[in-house]
Amino acid sequence: MEISLIRHGRSLLNDNQRKTCEEFKEWVNDYNSNGVIEEKDFPHTTQQKVAHAKVFITSDLKRSIDSARLLRNNPYMITDPLFREVDMPIPSTRLLNIKVSPQMWSVLFRCLWFSGYSSNCESYKHAKLRSKQAANQLIEYAERYHSVVIVGHGFFNMLIAKELLARGWEGKKIKNSKHWSVSSYTLQ
């Protein structure tokens, strides 16, 4: 049995200008509603896992669905919000009109999220519980179909991977690139 976790492709959103916290919130909405850059080549390992998958799953976010369609020209896939990326806790205050890059805001808010701050989003504790549900679902598919691929998101895939490892699955992230990267887990 094998479960492969693939991170979605690069977003079409190419705006890296410095932003206030309020502008960053809009940027996140744009990021979630944009698709991905249409690429012709994908890492070899990613292509192999996709080709052999009996079950092909995506989150319900556009970048995940679009990435799956680029990887596998097959209309049949399971789209499930259970596998959606964890939102960041973006406060509704102005934060003194500080402007930093979207990447800096992301690092700051993700660190706060890991530290327990979850204003206006799912908490780390709840995300870990959801990752257990996601792992359960993936294991059920793997038991039935032997080979499963999920085209998902960086942080939530990481939480699923930790859960699979805690349950005795073996695997690791295959180093190739940030986008289209694959982590593969097997149970002997």
Side-chain angles (χ1 to χ4, degrees), residues 73-137:
N73 192 10
N74 180 339
Y76 181 72
M77 66 181 101
I78 299 167
T79 299
D80 191 335
L82 177 64
F83 298 98
R84 159 183 278 265
E85 180 65 295
V86 181
D87 290 329
M88 287 179 280
I90 304 169
S92 54
T93 59
R94 294 192 82 156
L95 294 180
L96 305 173
N97 271 344
I98 297 170
K99 284 189 170 192
V100 297
S101 71
Q103 290 74 22
M104 288 300 296
W105 282 124
S106 296
V107 169
L108 171 67
F109 293 137
R110 194 55 77 194
C111 287
L112 289 170
W113 181 76
F114 276 118
S115 299
Y117 178 71
S118 61
S119 176
N120 304 317
C121 76
E122 176 181 36
S123 70
Y124 180 46
K125 181 180 177 179
H126 187 270
K128 287 191 335 189
L129 291 173
R130 185 164 58 92
S131 73
K132 289 177 190 236
Q133 294 174 318
N136 288 340
Q137 184 67 55

Side-chain angles (χ1 to χ4, degrees), residues 14-186:
N14 195 19
D15 175 12
N16 293 317
Q17 298 297 315
R18 295 163 54 106
K19 308 201 173 308
T20 65
C21 183
E22 291 171 321
E23 292 168 337
F24 176 67
K25 193 171 196 169
E26 292 171 25
W27 182 92
V28 169
N29 290 334
D30 289 344
Y31 182 74
N32 285 337
S33 64
N34 269 277
V36 295
I37 295 171
E38 191 167 333
E39 298 186 44
K40 303 273 187 251
D41 296 315
F42 305 99
H44 179 69
T45 307
T46 302
Q47 290 176 326
Q48 283 184 312
K49 299 302 179 186
V50 168
H52 293 101
K54 302 279 191 299
V55 176
F56 200 60
I57 304 165
T58 71
S59 85
D60 63 339
L61 290 174
K62 184 168 176 50
R63 62 186 178 273
S64 176
I65 295 167
D66 288 357
S67 295
R69 287 188 179 133
L70 289 172
L71 285 168
R72 187 173 183 170
N73 192 10
N74 180 339
Y76 181 72
M77 66 181 101
I78 299 167
T79 299
D80 191 335
L82 177 64
F83 298 98
R84 159 183 278 265
E85 180 65 295
V86 181
D87 290 329
M88 287 179 280
I90 304 169
S92 54
T93 59
R94 294 192 82 156
L95 294 180
L96 305 173
N97 271 344
I98 297 170
K99 284 189 170 192
V100 297
S101 71
Q103 290 74 22
M104 288 300 296
W105 282 124
S106 296
V107 169
L108 171 67
F109 293 137
R110 194 55 77 194
C111 287
L112 289 170
W113 181 76
F114 276 118
S115 299
Y117 178 71
S118 61
S119 176
N120 304 317
C121 76
E122 176 181 36
S123 70
Y124 180 46
K125 181 180 177 179
H126 187 270
K128 287 191 335 189
L129 291 173
R130 185 164 58 92
S131 73
K132 289 177 190 236
Q133 294 174 318
N136 288 340
Q137 184 67 55
L138 293 172
I139 290 168
E140 283 179 31
Y141 284 132
E143 288 171 344
R144 190 175 315 142
Y145 301 104
H146 303 289
S147 180
V148 179
V149 164
I150 167 77
V151 179
H153 309 275
F155 277 97
F156 198 64
N157 280 0
M158 177 195 66
L159 293 175
I160 294 170
K162 283 183 178 184
E163 186 60 31
L164 290 172
L165 292 171
R167 294 181 189 200
W169 287 68
E170 295 178 3
K172 62 181 177 179
K173 182 173 183 173
I174 299 164
K175 305 250 188 243
N176 48 23
S177 67
K178 178 179 174 182
H179 299 283
W180 308 111
S181 63
V182 63
S183 301
S184 223
Y185 300 87
T186 57

